[in-house]
Amino acid sequence: MSTLTVSPRGPLAGALPRPSSRARAFALDAALVVAGAAVVALLAQAEIPLWPVPITGQTLAVVLVGASLGVRRGGMALLTYLLAGLAGLPVFAGFSGSIAAVASPSFGFIVGFIPAAMVAGYAAQRAWDRRPLIAFAAFVAASIVPFLIGVPYMAFILNTVMGAELSVAQIFAAGVTPFIVGGLIKAAIAAAVIPLAWRGVAALDRDRD
């Protein structure tokens, strides 16, 4: 009978029973990747409109997906999300999606979600996601990653493409400051949810024994 198993290291998805055949293992990985992309698409619709970048639930979803799936599958889930949006599926904030999104000031953040999920996955694969305080630190680090790509991209679109001529301070005020408190809250939520999920897996594992 298939059961969940607590591994010394690895993401939550590693607790799932692994199919013996390569085809079924691939199908499981594909399903997890698509499910991860769907979670991000869903939380993207939890939106507080701001200019030039809205506040959404995407960062929380990115961290949860990355920590749950690991580096490879987490990164693939966010790449799938990005490609689905560019293909026209309404997965971005505000149920939007189009190749034209590349000209949006917020698009760099979406690109940054891919390495962010991988950072969260890296933490999970080293079991840093099982204690809330350590998980919180790791998830804050993962949450910073989209800004490393998103803020310069936003500045380029606003100043070079749109001709806004915003100063560095104005760019920071528009692309960083509004997200600090929310980012910490979302990292804290993820740092509570993931260790709790691991405790649930451990309880099921004990019941099996």
Side-chain angles (χ1 to χ4, degrees):
M1 182 175 65
S2 297
T3 57
L4 297 176
T5 304
V6 178
S7 58
R9 291 189 176 188
L12 274 167
L16 295 172
R18 191 71 181 168
S20 56
S21 75
R22 181 175 298 181
R24 289 183 179 179
F26 177 82
L28 174 61
D29 285 341
L32 290 171
V33 165
V34 171
V39 169
V40 179
L42 179 64
L43 288 186
Q45 311 317 320
E47 178 186 9
I48 300 175
L50 285 181
W51 183 91
V53 178
I55 295 175
T56 72
Q58 285 167 305
T59 307
L60 173 59
V62 167
V63 171
L64 290 174
V65 167
S68 298
L69 300 186
V71 174
R72 181 175 58 86
R73 286 176 295 204
M76 286 300 299
L78 271 298
L79 177 61
T80 299
Y81 171 74
L82 183 150
L83 294 177
L86 292 180
L89 295 180
V91 296
F92 296 155
F95 294 101
S96 62
S98 166
I99 190 66
V102 298
S104 167
S106 63
F107 185 71
F109 291 90
I110 298 174
V111 174
F113 289 158
I114 299 171
M118 296 175 73
V119 169
Y122 180 88
Q125 289 178 193
R126 277 146 187 79
W128 297 344
D129 62 334
R130 305 193 188 188
R131 295 186 178 183
L133 287 179
I134 298 174
F136 176 71
F139 295 159
V140 167
S143 299
I144 291 171
V145 173
F147 292 89
L148 302 179
I149 299 172
V151 173
Y153 192 97
M154 182 189 76
F156 171 77
I157 294 296
L158 291 176
N159 287 346
T160 304
V161 177
M162 298 182 175
E165 298 184 357
L166 299 179
S167 67
V168 172
Q170 289 172 317
I171 290 293
F172 190 89
V176 177
T177 304
F179 304 95
I180 294 174
V181 173
L184 292 173
I185 291 172
K186 285 181 274 190
I189 292 172
V193 169
I194 296 295
L196 183 62
W198 273 116
R199 285 197 288 273
V201 171
L204 290 172
D205 199 38
R206 286 194 300 271
D207 289 344
R208 180 195 63 179
D209 295 337

